[in-house]
PDB file of all heavy atoms in Angstrom:
ATOM      1  N   ASP A 736     -36.398 182.394 148.856  1.00 85.00           N
ATOM      2  CA  ASP A 736     -36.322 183.804 148.623  1.00 85.00           C
ATOM      3  C   ASP A 736     -36.995 184.116 147.354  1.00 85.00           C
ATOM      4  O   ASP A 736     -36.511 183.851 146.275  1.00 85.00           O
ATOM      5  CB  ASP A 736     -34.840 184.236 148.612  1.00 85.00           C
ATOM      6  CG  ASP A 736     -34.760 185.773 148.600  1.00 85.00           C
ATOM      7  OD1 ASP A 736     -35.429 186.399 147.779  1.00 85.00           O
ATOM      8  OD2 ASP A 736     -33.859 186.341 149.336  1.00 85.00           O
ATOM      9  N   VAL A 940      -6.268 214.073 153.260  1.00 96.00           N
ATOM     10  CA  VAL A 940      -7.651 214.363 153.503  1.00 96.00           C
ATOM     11  C   VAL A 940      -8.477 213.338 152.681  1.00 96.00           C
ATOM     12  O   VAL A 940      -9.512 212.766 153.171  1.00 96.00           O
ATOM     13  CB  VAL A 940      -7.996 215.835 153.043  1.00 96.00           C
ATOM     14  CG1 VAL A 940      -9.523 216.011 152.973  1.00 96.00           C
ATOM     15  CG2 VAL A 940      -7.403 216.747 153.897  1.00 96.00           C
ATOM     16  N   SER A1045     -13.630 187.743 168.829  1.00 94.00           N
ATOM     17  CA  SER A1045     -13.113 186.655 169.660  1.00 94.00           C
ATOM     18  C   SER A1045     -13.756 185.296 169.286  1.00 94.00           C
ATOM     19  O   SER A1045     -12.905 184.305 169.199  1.00 94.00           O
ATOM     20  CB  SER A1045     -13.586 186.983 171.141  1.00 94.00           C
ATOM     21  OG  SER A1045     -13.209 185.954 171.967  1.00 94.00           O
ATOM     22  N   SER A1126       7.156 203.396 140.250  1.00 92.00           N
ATOM     23  CA  SER A1126       6.192 203.837 141.206  1.00 92.00           C
ATOM     24  C   SER A1126       4.804 203.255 141.032  1.00 92.00           C
ATOM     25  O   SER A1126       4.127 202.845 141.959  1.00 92.00           O
ATOM     26  CB  SER A1126       6.170 205.344 141.280  1.00 92.00           C
ATOM     27  OG  SER A1126       5.353 205.769 142.423  1.00 92.00           O
TER      28      SER A1126
END
Side-chain angles (χ1 to χ4, degrees):
D736 187 315
V940 172
S1045 179
S1126 188

